[in-house]
Amino acid sequence: MIQVDGVKRAYGAIQALNGISFEVKAGEIVGLLGPNGAGKSTTIKILTGFLHPDEGTVRIDGLDVLTQTQQVQRNIGYLAENTPLYPTLSVQTYLKWIADMREVPTNDQRKLISDAVIATGLQNHLTRPIAQLSKGYRQRVGLAQAILHKPKLLILDEPTVGLDPTQIVEIRGLIKRLAEHSTILFSSHILSEVEAVCDRVIIIMNGQIRADARLDDLSATTNAVIVLSDPVDGVETALMALDGVSAVQAFHAHGGYLGYRVIADRDICPTIYDLAKQNGYPLRELRPDTLTLEAFFNQLATSA
């Protein structure tokens, strides 16, 4: 659905993108992450045809964004971070205007607008001026306009910023439902949102792609966590002596129990279990360690 190859873009002396390349398959929900100034907004502007790269190629559903811009834009739904809504218009008037602007055939408009309204839960707010809606419902209107024409690609830029926890959960569910019919590129600073919604992440830092992987692969490690019900002398030394272990980090686990994080270059849990069984350790917990997206992101940021 998305093919980006060797894209560069500079603003004067500032190199916003430095030769990035990635692909997104149809049906994926992909998170685009990065700190402020990393190049996320520039990437989105190039994908949507609002900005041309200095070098490289971009194709959306097989179409060249540079030479077939309008055709590409017809296949994209876009929710900007600050959705440009018209506060004096009612919801239904605004969506009708969007349909006209997108040149949706008149005979199809009623059905498409109705589908978008039902998908975003706006049925009871159609006649209300947008200015009278809460932040969450204004965000729903923004999503409704983005999906009204049933786009193949949906680009969402910070779709949950400013929403309360209940609204965030609702928008998460909506995004997952939308993925049944559209490929979704999801840009956010909120890492927990990306973990909750996306299948895969692309992390941009300093204009370069630092990571591109499925979330399941990022969280998987060969490290282990062992928690004991009571202190035992010599445990840390015994763990460190295991083959493949490079470090053992003691910590206080939930409930005040003593825990150890074992850093290893292979799946070390079975070996630790055998060690605990042979020595009669009061084993409370033994599990593979997992790396959160936040921890992975911070590792990249500190090593940049």
Side-chain angles (χ1 to χ4, degrees):
M1 180 57 66
I2 300 175
Q3 294 175 294
V4 175
D5 187 17
V7 166
K8 293 184 179 182
R9 174 70 196 197
Y11 300 100
I14 299 174
Q15 191 72 41
L17 295 176
N18 192 14
I20 67 169
S21 300
F22 65 89
E23 293 186 359
V24 176
K25 296 179 181 179
E28 283 191 296
I29 308 178
V30 177
L32 184 65
L33 300 179
N36 289 330
K40 300 191 306 297
S41 294
T42 298
T43 301
I44 288 174
K45 289 177 182 177
I46 289 173
L47 289 173
T48 52
F50 290 106
L51 190 67
H52 282 191
D54 298 327
E55 296 181 27
T57 60
V58 181
R59 302 184 75 84
I60 304 292
D61 196 26
L63 300 174
D64 190 313
V65 174
L66 301 184
T67 61
Q68 299 168 286
T69 306
Q70 289 189 344
Q71 290 173 264
V72 168
Q73 290 173 339
R74 288 189 180 99
N75 290 329
I76 293 177
Y78 177 44
L79 176 65
E81 181 176 355
N82 297 303
T83 309
L85 303 174
Y86 288 87
T88 58
L89 297 181
S90 69
V91 172
Q92 63 184 7
T93 302
Y94 172 73
L95 294 178
K96 174 66 168 65
W97 176 76
I98 288 292
D100 290 338
M101 291 293 290
R102 284 199 169 275
E103 300 179 343
V104 175
T106 304
N107 293 338
D108 297 334
Q109 287 190 11
R110 181 183 293 273
K111 174 67 164 60
L112 290 175
I113 291 173
S114 176
D115 288 348
V117 165
I118 292 171
T120 53
L122 289 167
Q123 300 96 312
N124 298 325
H125 302 274
L126 289 176
T127 59
R128 292 183 64 186
I130 292 173
Q132 295 181 9
L133 298 177
S134 67
K135 170 73 173 176
Y137 275 97
R138 289 198 300 272
Q139 204 70 335
R140 289 170 184 256
V141 175
L143 276 169
Q145 67 79 27
I147 67 174
L148 186 148
H149 58 301
K150 296 194 181 299
K152 292 183 177 180
L153 173 63
L154 191 56
I155 297 178
L156 308 177
D157 193 0
E158 302 288 352
T160 60
V161 167
L163 303 186
D164 64 37
T166 299
Q167 293 167 337
I168 288 174
V169 171
E170 291 173 351
I171 295 298
R172 280 183 192 171
L174 174 57
I175 290 170
K176 289 185 176 181
R177 291 195 299 274
L178 293 174
E180 296 174 5
H181 307 286
S182 301
T183 303
I184 297 179
L185 188 66
F186 181 108
S187 176
S188 179
H189 289 90
I190 306 173
L191 300 184
S192 59
E193 288 304 298
V194 175
E195 281 188 306
V197 172
C198 297
D199 307 312
R200 176 178 150 218
V201 291
I202 296 171
I203 299 177
I204 299 179
M205 292 182 177
N206 300 319
Q208 297 180 318
I209 292 179
R210 295 291 308 281
D212 180 352
R214 293 187 62 81
L215 283 169
D216 290 344
D217 295 334
L218 284 183
S219 63
T221 73
T222 55
N223 303 332
V225 169
I226 177 175
V227 178
L228 302 181
S229 299
D230 297 298
V232 176
D233 292 337
V235 171
E236 191 167 345
T237 301
L239 291 170
M240 192 66 204
L242 296 176
D243 184 41
V245 173
S246 59
V248 176
Q249 303 165 348
F251 68 95
H252 291 290
H254 180 70
Y257 297 102
L258 184 61
Y260 299 92
R261 180 167 287 103
V262 183
I263 312 301
D265 60 9
R266 61 185 181 87
D267 181 9
I268 200 68
C269 281
T271 306
I272 293 176
Y273 177 78
D274 290 340
L275 176 71
K277 184 177 180 180
Q278 291 169 7
N279 291 277
Y281 292 163
L283 190 62
R284 181 177 180 83
E285 181 181 359
L286 174 61
R287 60 176 171 82
D289 195 14
T290 56
L291 185 65
T292 65
L293 180 58
E294 180 178 2
F296 181 77
F297 186 89
N298 288 335
Q299 284 181 4
L300 290 179
T302 55
S303 64

